Amino acid sequence: MATNAMGPTMAGGTQPIVRGGYELLYLPDVNNHQLQQEGKSPVFYYIPNRIRMARKDGPDSGDYLFNLIRFAGVQNSQTTVGADSDREVAGGVLTFTVTGAVPEDVLEQSQNAITEQFDNSGDFFWGIRTRKNPLFRPAIITSNITTISNVSPSTTGASPTNVGNDGARSNRRVLRTIGIPKPRKLPRTARGTDAANDSNLDPWYWRMQGEGSGSIDPTGQNAFSSLIGAYPAAILWESFHGTASPVTVIQNMKLKVWSPVVELRIHGEWKSIFEHFSAAASARYLWAKADIQAELNEMRKNGNITVDLKIDPTIPNGDKVQENIEERSDMILEKFMEEAQRVIFEPPKPEVEAAEASSGGGFFGGAGFALKARKDITTLTLDYHETRQLAYLQDHTISSSLSGMYEEMHRDPESEKKYFRTVYLDDWPRKLARVVKPVVNWDNGAVDFMSVDIGYPNTSGELMWSGHAFGPSDGGDESWKYAMTQKNDSDVQDPPEGWSPDKTFIKRRVHLKEPPSDTQDPYRRIQIDQNVIPIDPEPNGRAINDTIVEVRADSAGRLDVGPIKLGVVLQDNTQTIQVTMEPTDPQGNPVGRDPVRFVWNYDDYDQDRLWMLFTGDPEFQPFYRYKVHVMVKGTIFEPGREWEGPWETAAGGGPVILKIPRPGSRGVSPTREIPTFVESPTTREMPATSKSKREREAPPEPERVRGYEISP
């Protein structure tokens, strides 16, 4: 019957080959001797003996599949969308991919090295004794459990490392063993719960995704990602910028290998075997693979178990082959465990924590085995006997640190930006907030209400408006809060002119009441050019990045003079003062607007006056002038008096005390008499003939009214 390649064997040993910094482990086919006797090509199997970070375009080119992002942010309800309170966060996100693949040229060099080394060799499994080129195949992997070393302490004070196929972690007593103090108890986020439930990550937080079952293709890829706290992020940031890495990737593989034709006998009394494990169980509850292997070797030494392994005597160097199987394979242990699980060991239970395991990595991938509670079945005899080619699962563990970034960045300093990023969470999701406050004196009765519209573009560039109105019923303390998610430049197509991500458009307006007539309210003069006065230009208003925005009535080109008071006291009801006021330019020249007039009498001279002008022109300058006209009423027998002062210039709004001119002062118009009676015949001038010549030629004497001379 024709012989076919069956699979790799550990009987002939292994051969590592390193080329170009890549290391592969080779194994021969168990039937290589028979294959070549039949004129067929020998077959060799390879498996990575070291893993590396994968690259985008293959193992020898392209960027590394690696990225480390560290992030930090201080957020509150005023600055961040979704934040209902103050919160802080700092940490990082680590993503990377590992592979055992090697470049094609390196693989060819490695295979040529095997061919050259064993060409015409007499080795039973490795020797190449045919003209046909050997065949190379990847080894058969039945399982691959991947784990990542952890740079953060666990809740028990240890660094959780190995994760088996059931997700259990072991080696939890490591830090206590080497004297590192137990850290404080971590919050729920660091104990493997959803980190989004808390406002911050614990500084030592570490949660890796991607551990467990990995690719069974020796050249396949395994991707990992981890959310980490501030401390691991800082450690990894510095270490990956250096020549060493604290992160180690471990792959525990199971290879399907074959033995040559062997006769295997295992004999022992289960009672003695059980008692041996019971005596050794005082320091442990669960048994891992390494523990069972050690106890099995011990029982072989003390005679509790006998193992008889015989190799096909026709195989050259059979004693060497037997030694390889004994020392470098799991065949004997596996056959023992197949029987032991039926008699003395319980299978692993999911609820049992691996923290109690005494060594890293349980049997067949991480889980531990416990002794059965029943002892009445331990009096059986263990007898295992088989003669044939046996297939069994062989452990193959490889591990590597994620180094190489330093060399990459040393060759190309710009490459750092591809692998390392810093994200400031203050920037996104950023809330664009505005607080609008009205500034207006509602008591003057001129302003009906004030309005504001705020607009921010959508992704199409169209302004989305939102508005609010302020009125006198608000009490003067109201403010309006506007909020919108801040966009990036690239998020908005065809943005409005003058827009940037931090700017909103604002349109403010002052809405005025109908002004009272002069007779309706003699103490107020309100001039309004238009009832609705826009503060900001049309059509889209003004683009601003201020957070606090005022809607001021005086922004509408306003002149607000008041209270207006007299600078004198009126003594009786014969005295009246009239004031004329009008806007001017900065040089005091009138600008063509209608003047306003106020009159003060004795009964109301202490009543304040108010003058307001709303122009609607933001460039309006509040300059004005006023002129005072004084009148003193006469009596039947005494004439009255009146005089007028010069124009007085003033600027700005607010209170003003009018200067009242005195007769004879500079700039005061000449005083004149106010007639108070009609001439009667009894007071007519006598004929000239009745007066003496001296009396007729003499000038008339001046009259006096309340102490003032009256000119003729």
Side-chain angles (χ1 to χ4, degrees):
M1 186 173 63
T3 303
N4 295 317
M6 183 172 291
T9 181
M10 297 293 294
T14 60
Q15 183 62 54
I17 298 294
V18 179
R19 289 292 186 274
Y22 295 86
E23 181 176 349
L24 293 176
L25 189 69
Y26 286 87
L27 296 92
D29 190 274
V30 69
N31 289 338
N32 264 354
H33 180 72
Q34 292 85 349
L35 289 172
Q36 294 182 91
Q37 282 184 330
E38 297 176 9
K40 299 177 181 179
S41 298
V43 180
F44 299 94
Y45 302 87
Y46 61 88
I47 188 171
N49 213 27
R50 184 184 304 167
I51 52 178
R52 291 172 170 263
M53 274 193 289
R55 293 180 180 266
K56 291 182 180 179
D57 300 322
D60 58 346
S61 63
D63 297 334
Y64 283 117
L65 293 174
F66 171 91
N67 192 256
L68 176 58
I69 300 174
R70 59 180 181 180
F71 57 82
V74 178
Q75 303 174 338
N76 56 59
S77 59
Q78 298 296 322
T79 61
T80 306
V81 177
D84 54 5
S85 61
D86 294 346
R87 64 191 186 193
E88 300 179 7
V89 67
V93 176
L94 172 66
T95 60
F96 60 92
T97 301
V98 298
T99 183
V102 298
E104 289 295 331
D105 59 331
V106 173
L107 181 61
E108 183 178 355
Q109 296 174 24
S110 178
Q111 294 172 356
N112 290 339
I114 289 291
T115 303
E116 294 173 2
Q117 182 175 349
F118 295 104
D119 188 32
N120 293 322
S121 170
D123 190 284
F124 183 78
F125 293 103
W126 289 96
I128 302 175
R129 297 176 292 276
T130 179
R131 294 182 178 273
K132 291 192 174 182
N133 294 328
L135 301 178
F136 292 90
R137 301 171 181 174
I140 300 173
I141 300 175
T142 60
S143 71
N144 179 14
I145 304 303
T146 63
T147 60
I148 306 294
S149 61
N150 194 341
V151 298
S152 104
S154 72
T155 57
T156 62
S159 177
T161 52
N162 297 335
V163 178
N165 54 6
D166 64 344
R169 288 175 175 170
S170 58
N171 290 347
R172 294 180 181 258
R173 288 191 284 267
V174 175
L175 292 184
R176 270 185 270 174
T177 302
I178 63 177
I180 297 180
K182 181 179 179 180
R184 63 181 178 83
K185 187 175 182 180
L186 303 182
R188 295 181 66 240
T189 52
R191 299 200 298 271
T193 58
D194 186 1
N197 292 334
D198 295 282
S199 61
N200 194 5
L201 293 175
D202 185 89
W204 280 115
Y205 185 83
W206 178 282
R207 187 169 187 178
M208 180 66 66
Q209 302 291 334
E211 293 181 296
S213 298
S215 173
I216 60 173
D217 180 358
T219 62
Q221 295 183 348
N222 294 282
F224 305 91
S225 65
S226 179
L227 178 63
I228 54 181
Y231 295 163
I235 294 171
L236 294 177
W237 184 276
E238 292 298 328
S239 64
F240 280 116
H241 279 75
T243 57
S245 167
V247 177
T248 301
V249 181
I250 305 169
Q251 290 188 337
N252 296 305
M253 302 179 182
K254 292 290 185 181
L255 306 181
K256 186 177 182 180
V257 297
W258 293 82
S259 73
V261 177
V262 298
E263 180 181 7
L264 176 62
R265 292 179 181 271
I266 302 176
H267 175 79
E269 298 293 333
W270 280 122
K271 182 176 181 181
S272 59
I273 296 173
F274 186 89
E275 289 175 349
H276 179 91
F277 278 99
S278 297
S282 58
R284 60 179 63 85
Y285 170 66
L286 295 181
W287 293 83
K289 173 190 172 181
D291 303 321
I292 297 176
Q293 178 73 69
E295 296 301 326
L296 179 61
N297 293 336
E298 182 66 24
M299 286 186 291
R300 291 179 66 180
K301 292 179 182 179
N302 59 31
N304 287 335
I305 289 180
T306 58
V307 177
D308 184 18
L309 178 66
K310 294 180 180 180
I311 303 298
D312 184 351
T314 62
I315 296 178
N317 300 319
D319 55 344
K320 183 65 175 178
V321 173
Q322 180 171 333
E323 182 181 346
N324 285 337
I325 294 177
E326 287 269 10
E327 294 183 358
R328 305 181 64 179
S329 77
D330 293 326
M331 183 176 65
I332 297 174
L333 176 61
E334 182 175 295
K335 299 306 177 184
F336 171 77
M337 284 303 301
E338 287 178 1
E339 299 296 323
Q341 285 187 69
R342 304 181 199 144
V343 181
I344 66 171
F345 286 119
E346 296 280 2
K349 298 179 180 180
E351 68 272 16
V352 176
E353 293 187 5
E356 300 297 333
S358 61
S359 64
F363 191 75
F364 293 140
F369 288 78
L371 292 177
K372 289 181 180 290
R374 296 180 59 191
K375 298 184 179 181
D376 55 342
I377 61 173
T378 58
T379 57
L380 301 177
T381 300
L382 167 63
D383 272 310
Y384 177 84
H385 179 213
E386 190 168 5
T387 301
R388 64 184 178 92
Q389 282 183 298
L390 301 177
Y392 59 96
L393 299 178
Q394 175 68 40
D395 281 337
H396 178 65
T397 300
I398 57 177
S399 63
S400 299
S401 62
L402 301 182
S403 57
M405 303 301 299
Y406 174 80
E407 291 79 5
E408 175 80 5
M409 291 185 294
H410 184 71
R411 289 191 300 268
D412 180 14
E414 292 297 321
S415 65
E416 179 183 4
K417 299 177 182 178
K418 296 184 293 186
Y419 304 119
F420 298 91
R421 295 285 304 275
T422 298
V423 176
Y424 298 98
L425 299 182
D426 315 54
D427 297 339
W428 191 91
R430 185 72 178 179
K431 180 187 293 185
L432 201 64
R434 299 288 183 263
V435 179
V436 185
K437 177 75 175 178
V439 181
V440 59
N441 180 14
W442 301 108
D443 295 336
N444 60 40
V447 179
D448 190 13
F449 66 95
M450 305 180 74
S451 65
V452 59
D453 292 322
I454 298 180
Y456 196 73
N458 58 18
T459 54
S460 301
E462 301 173 354
L463 286 173
M464 310 300 290
W465 293 97
S466 182
H468 187 77
F470 301 96
S473 61
D474 299 331
D477 295 329
E478 185 189 11
S479 61
W480 177 53
K481 295 180 180 179
Y482 168 89
M484 175 65 69
T485 303
Q486 182 170 327
K487 298 180 175 66
N488 296 322
D489 282 312
S490 58
D491 297 334
V492 179
Q493 298 179 359
D494 193 21
E497 182 179 358
W499 177 80
S500 60
D502 64 332
K503 290 183 178 180
T504 54
F505 288 87
I506 186 168
K507 294 192 294 187
R508 294 163 290 186
R509 299 181 183 87
V510 180
H511 302 259
L512 303 175
K513 296 179 180 179
E514 290 295 329
S517 64
D518 293 350
T519 58
Q520 181 181 354
D521 189 346
Y523 305 118
R524 291 192 306 163
R525 296 289 182 263
I526 299 177
Q527 297 174 288
I528 296 175
D529 288 357
Q530 51 187 346
N531 288 90
V532 179
I533 301 176
I535 300 175
D536 304 297
E538 295 292 343
N540 293 330
R542 200 182 311 272
I544 63 173
N545 57 7
D546 298 328
T547 302
I548 308 299
V549 181
E550 293 181 341
V551 186
R552 306 184 68 96
D554 55 7
S555 299
R558 187 184 71 165
L559 176 63
D560 185 357
V561 182
I564 304 173
K565 298 177 179 291
L566 294 178
V568 298
V569 175
L570 301 185
Q571 295 177 321
D572 53 46
N573 56 10
T574 65
Q575 299 173 351
T576 300
I577 294 178
Q578 176 180 283
V579 177
T580 302
M581 309 181 80
E582 65 179 355
T584 67
D585 60 19
Q587 289 73 38
N589 301 316
V591 294
R593 291 185 177 274
D594 294 337
V596 296
R597 292 180 177 83
F598 294 99
V599 175
W600 278 265
N601 295 307
Y602 175 74
D603 296 332
D604 61 2
Y605 75 87
D606 57 351
Q607 175 70 43
D608 297 334
R609 270 61 168 174
L610 174 68
W611 175 36
M612 298 184 69
L613 169 63
F614 294 90
T615 67
D617 181 8
E619 305 300 325
F620 172 76
Q621 295 176 301
F623 291 93
Y624 65 96
R625 67 179 185 173
Y626 68 88
K627 180 171 62 175
V628 179
H629 186 89
V630 181
M631 297 175 51
V632 180
K633 294 180 181 179
T635 64
I636 296 177
F637 302 103
E638 297 180 356
R641 299 289 306 277
E642 63 178 312
W643 63 93
E644 190 174 71
W647 287 103
E648 301 285 349
T649 60
V656 62
I657 299 178
L658 303 176
K659 296 189 295 183
I660 308 302
R662 299 182 63 82
S665 299
R666 178 179 298 181
V668 176
S669 59
T671 57
R672 65 186 181 87
E673 179 181 335
I674 302 176
T676 57
F677 59 90
V678 179
E679 184 177 311
S680 63
T682 59
T683 60
R684 290 180 181 173
E685 184 178 344
M686 299 297 293
T689 55
S690 64
K691 295 183 179 179
S692 66
K693 182 179 179 181
R694 182 178 180 181
E695 289 175 338
R696 290 196 303 268
E697 294 178 354
E701 294 184 2
E703 298 181 7
R704 295 182 178 275
V705 178
R706 296 189 182 182
Y708 295 106
E709 291 186 352
I710 301 178
S711 299

